[in-house]
Amino acid sequence: MDERVLNKLKILAESAKYDVSCASSGTSRSHRKGQIGSAEGWGICHSFAEDGRCISLLKIMLTNSCIYDCAYCINRRSNDLPRATFSVTELVNLTIEFYRRNYIEGLFLSSGVVRNPDYTMERLVKVVKDLRQVYCFNGYIHLKSIPGASQELVNEAGLYADRMSVNIEIPNEQSLQLLAPEKDFQSVFTPMRYIQQGMLQSAEERKKYSHAPRFVPAGQSTQMIVGATSDSDKDILHLTSALYKRPSMKRVYYSGFVPVNGYDNRLPALKQPPLVRENRLYQADWLLRFYNFKVDEIVDDSYPDLDLEIDPKLAWALRHPEVFPVDINRADYEMLLRVPGLGVKSAKMILTARRYSRLGTSHLKQIGVVLKKAQYFITCHELPTRTVNELKPENVRRILTQRKATKIDDNQLIIPFVY
C-alpha cells in the first residue's frame, strides 16, 4: 500500500472511532454473479473496543477537516491535530483492496464538513456510487448523511447505501446551541425527513414494480452523546421514543461522552466516560422497542434519571410491587415481559410450555429464566421464595445488589509485594 495512503488511513480511522452508530443489522443481500461481496447477516465483520463498543473493521472518514467548531468533537476546527483527506479514488480503491484481502466485508463512511454540506455530501455519494456501479461492490455500506445537505444528494445516496444515519448528538436544541452554535435541529431533522420520504416512496413503488430500486433498505439510525450536557435520561428517552415512532428509524445509539477537549469550559470535567449510564440507556431503549414499556413508566418527574445500580426493568418492578407476584401459569404475554429476569424469548417459551403442564422451578431453569431476579416477582408451584410484597422492595433491592466477597483458592500461590 502506498505510504501516503497508509498515513491517511491511520489518521482518519483514529478520527472515526468515536461514532458508535455503525451496526450492520437490518439488511440481507446475498452474493450475486458478477459482483463482489455480500450483505448477509454474517457478512459484515466487527471488532470490539476495550469499553465494549462494536466497531466495523473499516470505519473511516473521508476527511477529518471540518468547518464547524463543536465543543464535544475531536475534529473541531480549532483543534491542532493531524488532518487528512482521501480522494474519492483513494477511498474506493482502499475499500476494494481491503475486501479482496479479506480484511473487511463492508464500509462505514462518515466525514467532517469541508467548504459546505453539499460539497462534502457530493463526494460521499461519489464514493458509494463508484463502489456499486464501477466495482460492482455488493457488500454492506453505511453512509453518514451530512446535516444541511440538499434533498437531491440525500436521495441519490439512498440508492447506493444500505443504511444512512444523521447524528443528533445533543438531545436538546438549547444545549446544542451552547456546544455547537453553528448547528441547529432543523439541519439534522431535515435530512432525516428526506430519508424517511425516500423509504416510503420506494416501498410504494416496489408494490407496483418488483424491480424498482430499493432505497436505504436497512433504514436509518442516529446517535446521541450522553453526559456532555445536563440533559436528564428523561429528556433523552422522550426524544428516543419520538424517533422510534417514525417508520424509518431502526436504531438510536448512545455514546458516553469522552472528554477529548478538556480545555473547553462548556464541557463537564469527567475523568472517564459514563459507560454505566450509557448501558442503562441501552437497556431502557430495549424496553421501549421490545417490552411494550412507555417512557413515563421508565422515567418521570420523580425519577428523571435511570438508576445506575439496577437495570430499568427491575427498578420499575420495585416501584410497583402491587403488580406482583405474577402467576407464571396464568399471566398473559405482556405481563410476563414485565417480570425481571424474563426476556422476550423466555416469555414466549413459557406460553408454549404451559399448554402441556403446569410449570415449576425446574421448567423455568430449563427455559432460561434468571431465577435470581424472577423468584421475588412470580408464583408457581414448588417456588418457596417469599415475594417482593412479603420481603418489601427495599430488602429485595439490597439482596440483589449486594456483592459477594471474592473467594480465594487455598491452593493459589499468593506473592506479597512490599511497596
Side-chain angles (χ1 to χ4, degrees):
M1 184 184 299
D2 183 86
E3 187 69 25
R4 184 171 56 86
V5 174
L6 181 60
N7 288 333
K8 289 183 181 182
L9 175 61
K10 291 177 180 178
I11 294 171
L12 295 172
E14 177 70 18
S15 295
K17 72 179 183 180
Y18 296 103
D19 198 322
V20 300
S21 56
C22 64
S24 62
S25 58
T27 187
S28 179
R29 184 175 56 254
S30 58
H31 175 72
R32 297 172 185 169
K33 186 176 181 180
Q35 298 184 343
I36 62 174
S38 69
E40 292 285 359
W42 43 262
I44 186 73
C45 299
H46 297 87
S47 62
F48 291 87
E50 293 179 353
D51 58 8
R53 301 175 196 272
C54 188
I55 303 173
S56 178
L57 289 182
L58 184 55
K59 183 179 177 183
I60 199 74
M61 298 184 74
L62 180 67
T63 179
N64 66 342
S65 298
C66 193
I67 62 175
Y68 298 135
D69 199 35
C70 306
Y72 48 80
C73 183
I74 185 66
N75 300 309
R76 61 187 296 184
R77 180 180 66 236
S78 58
N79 272 356
D80 183 16
L81 76 163
R83 305 284 181 174
T85 301
F86 278 124
S87 68
V88 171
T89 301
E90 286 174 338
L91 187 49
V92 170
N93 290 339
L94 181 69
T95 304
I96 295 301
E97 286 303 314
F98 270 37
Y99 175 78
R100 286 174 173 162
R101 297 179 186 186
N102 203 29
Y103 292 166
I104 63 165
E105 292 292 341
L107 173 67
F108 176 85
L109 180 59
S110 61
S111 180
V113 181
V114 289
R115 296 193 186 179
N116 57 66
D118 276 351
Y119 175 81
T120 307
M121 191 68 191
E122 187 176 0
R123 290 167 63 82
L124 291 173
V125 172
K126 178 64 174 169
V127 171
V128 295
K129 184 177 181 179
D130 284 359
L131 283 171
R132 295 296 196 207
Q133 294 190 343
V134 178
Y135 289 90
C136 299
F137 181 70
N138 198 38
Y140 178 86
I141 296 178
H142 182 149
L143 181 65
K144 298 298 295 294
S145 180
I146 302 299
S150 67
Q151 185 171 6
E152 291 75 14
L153 289 170
V154 173
N155 289 343
E156 185 178 7
L159 298 175
Y160 306 114
D162 292 287
R163 171 168 285 185
M164 294 182 68
S165 57
V166 189
N167 285 355
I168 294 176
E169 304 293 10
I170 305 299
N172 180 288
E173 186 164 21
Q174 185 176 357
S175 300
L176 180 65
Q177 287 290 310
L178 174 65
L179 300 182
E182 299 151 306
K183 293 183 178 180
D184 56 44
F185 266 19
Q186 182 179 355
S187 66
V188 175
F189 285 109
T190 298
M192 279 187 176
R193 187 174 69 252
Y194 294 156
I195 296 170
Q196 178 175 307
Q197 291 172 350
M199 291 179 63
L200 295 176
Q201 183 178 350
S202 174
E204 290 299 319
E205 291 177 352
R206 287 181 64 82
K207 290 179 182 178
K208 300 177 182 178
Y209 313 103
S210 59
H211 295 291
R214 302 179 73 186
F215 187 92
V216 195
Q220 63 174 316
S221 61
T222 189
Q223 170 182 298
M224 284 186 273
I225 299 174
V226 178
T229 62
S230 59
D231 298 299
S232 67
D233 295 335
K234 177 186 172 185
D235 299 327
I236 295 173
L237 290 174
H238 269 293
L239 179 55
T240 296
S241 179
L243 290 171
Y244 279 139
K245 291 177 182 177
R246 303 184 178 199
S248 61
M249 184 59 63
K250 302 303 180 183
R251 284 297 305 273
V252 176
Y253 292 88
Y254 311 94
S255 176
F257 170 63
V258 180
V260 292
N261 300 319
Y263 59 85
D264 197 313
N265 295 329
R266 293 172 292 175
L267 298 170
L270 300 180
K271 294 183 179 180
Q272 60 184 13
L275 298 181
V276 176
R277 184 185 178 193
E278 175 188 310
N279 182 53
R280 294 293 181 230
L281 283 167
Y282 275 116
Q283 291 173 330
D285 182 285
W286 217 253
L287 295 182
L288 293 174
R289 291 193 293 143
F290 301 112
Y291 289 77
N292 301 327
F293 275 76
K294 305 299 182 185
V295 175
D296 292 336
E297 295 179 298
I298 303 172
V299 287
D300 54 25
D301 292 336
S302 301
Y303 301 93
D305 292 307
L306 297 171
D307 194 321
L308 299 183
E309 196 173 32
I310 57 177
D311 67 80
K313 186 160 78 162
L314 177 57
W316 177 86
L318 292 176
R319 292 199 301 268
H320 297 87
E322 71 279 0
V323 178
F324 302 99
V326 170
D327 188 342
I328 286 294
N329 290 290
R330 294 186 178 183
D332 59 21
Y333 177 68
E334 286 71 22
M335 196 62 238
L336 289 175
L337 288 178
R338 300 269 166 158
V339 177
L342 266 71
V344 172
K345 184 178 179 180
S346 56
K348 291 179 179 179
M349 291 179 69
I350 286 173
L351 292 179
T352 302
R354 72 187 189 188
R355 296 176 187 171
Y356 305 98
S357 65
R358 288 180 57 81
L359 302 182
T361 307
S362 59
H363 300 106
L364 297 179
K365 287 182 179 179
Q366 291 175 350
I367 287 173
V369 174
V370 183
L371 284 176
K372 177 184 176 183
K373 289 183 182 179
Q375 60 184 334
Y376 303 107
F377 303 94
I378 62 174
T379 59
C380 64
H381 71 288
E382 71 180 39
L383 188 65
T385 308
R386 289 188 293 172
T387 66
V388 63
N389 291 305
E390 296 169 319
L391 288 173
K392 303 299 183 184
E394 57 271 19
N395 292 328
V396 173
R397 179 190 177 100
R398 179 176 52 79
I399 293 170
L400 293 177
T401 56
Q402 65 184 0
R403 297 182 179 180
K404 295 181 179 180
T406 305
K407 295 182 179 179
I408 300 177
D409 188 349
D410 294 335
N411 297 322
Q412 183 177 354
L413 177 62
I414 300 177
I415 304 175
F417 290 91
V418 178
Y419 295 94

